[in-house]
Amino acid sequence: MSSDVLQTAPEPSMTPELRERIQRRLGRLYGEENALALADRIDQMVSTWTGRLPNLPGGWSQRDVFLITYADTMMPGKKALTPLASLREFLSDHVKDRITFLHLLPFYPFSSDDGFSVIDYREVRHDLGCWEDVGQLARDYRLVFDGVINHVSQRSLYVQGYLAGNPHYKDFCIALDPETDTSQVTRPRTLPLLHEFESEDGPKWLWTTFSNDQVDLNFENPEVLLEVLDVLLYYLHKGASMIRLDAIPYLWKKLGSSCVHLPETHEIIKLIRDVYDAVAPGMILLSETNVPHRENVSYWGDGTDEAQQIYNFSLAPLVLYGLHSGDATCLTEWAGTLEPLRERCLFLNVTATHDGIGMRPTEGILSDSERRSLMDLAERHGGRVSYKTNPDGTETPYELNLTYFDAINNPNDPELLEDDQVARFLCAQAIPMVLMGIPGIYIHSLLGSRNDYLGREATGQARSINRERLQVESVEAELRDETSVRGRVFAGILRLLETRQAQSAFHPNAHQAVLSVGRGVFAVLRTAREDSSAESISSGSLSKPQRILALFNLSGDPQRSSIGAISAGCPCTDLLSGSRFESEVIDLKPYQIVWLEIS
């Protein structure tokens, strides 16, 4: 447990309803005979932290934008700053309030996988800065911490204590006979599931879902759950406003099953939500579930009891396919199937993250030949394709590894004009900004970064191509050059965000209708919620809720779209250019973005 936690036993603080709910969940996980004592311990933990944690704002609006970055992406040069302080200065100077949520990818001591093999959950890597640096960022933004709770580094205290026979860490890991039949276990990688480790009792084969340096924690041991809950409350104490539950589908293991999306996994997420709701109701959970869409949305639970936010992972490959083919049909048909968001549920709409472009979320949406075309595109554009192993021993594509800018634009095509490259990329980045939910932007997309081949060669890891560490002075010099690709992309995205943040129709939970207006055009009609016009009503105005028709030409050819049935003869103004349209048709240039406010 954290040293910050008081050692005296406080009085129970949970409401009877919450206490009963948590006890039921513990009974399902660990048996009724153990539930009472475990509920007592969680009650005590909640009481210890209550009153010591910040009040979080909760809620969201059209102003909210999510930026994803490593703590050391913007490396200081001449200035004597830590990387975390350098990041804060860069954001303060150049981004300001165009973002509201800042996802700091794992900044804890680690041994591999760029931070996702955590050695110590409760420390900041010394080469990045300290908790005070994190706290400074928390003054400016709503911080997102990673809860890397499925697995830990083999160098962690948990694994080392387990291997040394420390009774406190008994059963913190999962050891199996190497001959155990694990063929039914879903494998997100092509590495073996079990790896050999030396212990005081001799060799042990431990469960490692992702790599030999990422040893899975054993949540069948309730002591693991209690330790993780304390860590997650500690993160709230240290400035987190949201927790990203990394690799969460694989949390609970049951031989003979796929060991993915098991009911016990969902029960643990609900229990985490219960605890957070008790001590900080504004805390948000984000589930990282890079899986087919139907499986992904199950992590909302009933809309009130599990993660509030999930990644809209199908978006990235479908936008890429639309711009690659010049055909918006697949994107339009898929987006048209999305159900309206419930009041307390959100999509995080991303085209890129620190990982690759997921291929699993295209299952059942794109055909085999269409999926193959994306794989071929990635390899032509200098990237790679990563695979996963299926229970029958076959391998299927898991993700495409390259930057999203170079996925959209072939870096090996000398005839591709920079104007077209920037226009195509901004078209891709603008689509997540108009869909229901909150847009999420990876820092290398914000900066229009290209493939980092040297980084990939240095680590031997395909994902390193999209994780370049940059010198802040070099980046700032490029941003000052208004003719550079980086400068044009950066300025273009910030202009789009500034426009978006002022529109009530782009509220995350505003109504959405996906329209078919032409093969090459993706079209979305957003209508502000009735309550969003409360200011107008109170001031005596009877204006109707704002309506915006967002049009995106995904092709390299001009497109003509009929909008008369949508605008009903009302004049429209493009919020991006200021142009006014009164006709029933609109002509779009290649890759043009138009956000029409219908008067």
Side-chain angles (χ1 to χ4, degrees), residues 410-427:
N410 188 350
N412 302 312
D413 183 355
E415 297 182 3
L416 189 57
L417 300 176
E418 282 191 358
D419 285 351
D420 287 343
Q421 293 182 50
V422 172
R424 283 161 61 95
F425 189 67
L426 289 178
C427 183

Side-chain angles (χ1 to χ4, degrees), residues 39 125-126 155 184 189 260 340 347 553:
R125 277 169 47 202
H126 296 311
R155 289 169 49 192
Q184 295 304 307
R189 299 288 183 271
V260 61
F347 277 125
N553 183 359

Side-chain angles (χ1 to χ4, degrees), residues 72-274:
D72 57 356
T73 296
M74 305 302 295
M75 292 295 292
K78 298 177 182 178
K79 294 184 178 180
L81 296 174
T82 65
L84 280 164
S86 176
L87 173 64
R88 186 189 184 212
E89 183 175 272
F90 175 81
L91 295 176
S92 177
D93 290 346
H94 302 285
V95 180
K96 301 181 173 63
D97 61 356
R98 293 287 82 86
I99 68 164
T100 55
F101 285 94
L102 178 62
H103 176 194
L104 290 175
L105 289 157
F107 50 84
Y108 327 116
F110 76 104
S111 53
S112 64
D113 196 22
D114 288 336
F116 286 90
S117 296
V118 179
I119 295 174
D120 189 338
Y121 285 133
R122 295 185 174 88
E123 291 294 330
V124 176
R125 277 169 47 202
H126 296 311
D127 61 313
L128 299 178
C130 62
W131 279 117
E132 175 59 27
D133 291 318
V134 175
Q136 291 290 336
L137 283 165
R139 293 181 175 92
D140 299 332
Y141 303 107
R142 297 168 74 176
L143 294 189
V144 184
F145 289 11
D146 272 284
V148 190
I149 61 175
N150 178 74
H151 50 263
V152 291
S153 166
Q154 62 172 291
R155 289 169 49 192
S156 70
L157 185 64
Y158 308 122
V159 177
Q160 290 301 305
Y162 170 84
L163 294 174
N166 184 330
H168 184 71
Y169 299 108
K170 184 178 186 295
D171 296 329
F172 261 57
C173 306
I174 304 168
L176 296 177
D177 185 304
E179 300 303 316
T180 302
D181 180 8
T182 60
S183 61
Q184 295 304 307
V185 177
T186 295
R187 303 290 297 114
R189 299 288 183 271
T190 55
L191 298 171
L193 179 65
L194 304 179
H195 282 93
E196 184 179 6
F197 294 83
E198 285 299 323
S199 77
E200 73 158 12
D201 299 325
K204 288 191 176 182
W205 292 80
L206 301 185
W207 193 300
T208 54
T209 296
F210 291 94
S211 77
N212 67 329
D213 189 37
Q214 292 167 298
V215 180
D216 287 47
L217 290 171
N218 179 19
F219 278 85
E220 283 195 54
N221 176 0
E223 295 299 326
V224 171
L225 174 66
L226 294 170
E227 172 67 6
V228 164
L229 286 175
D230 188 62
V231 167
L232 296 179
L233 288 169
Y234 181 74
Y235 288 166
L236 177 56
H237 174 59
K238 287 298 188 179
S241 292
M242 181 188 295
I243 296 295
R244 174 185 178 272
L245 296 173
D246 176 69
I248 200 66
Y250 309 97
L251 198 69
W252 194 274
K253 282 73 172 175
K254 184 183 296 182
L255 287 175
S257 76
S258 66
C259 296
V260 61
H261 311 312
L262 294 182
E264 292 87 351
T265 292
H266 286 278
E267 204 68 58
I268 288 177
I269 299 172
K270 292 173 182 178
L271 199 151
I272 293 171
R273 172 75 178 269
D274 287 339

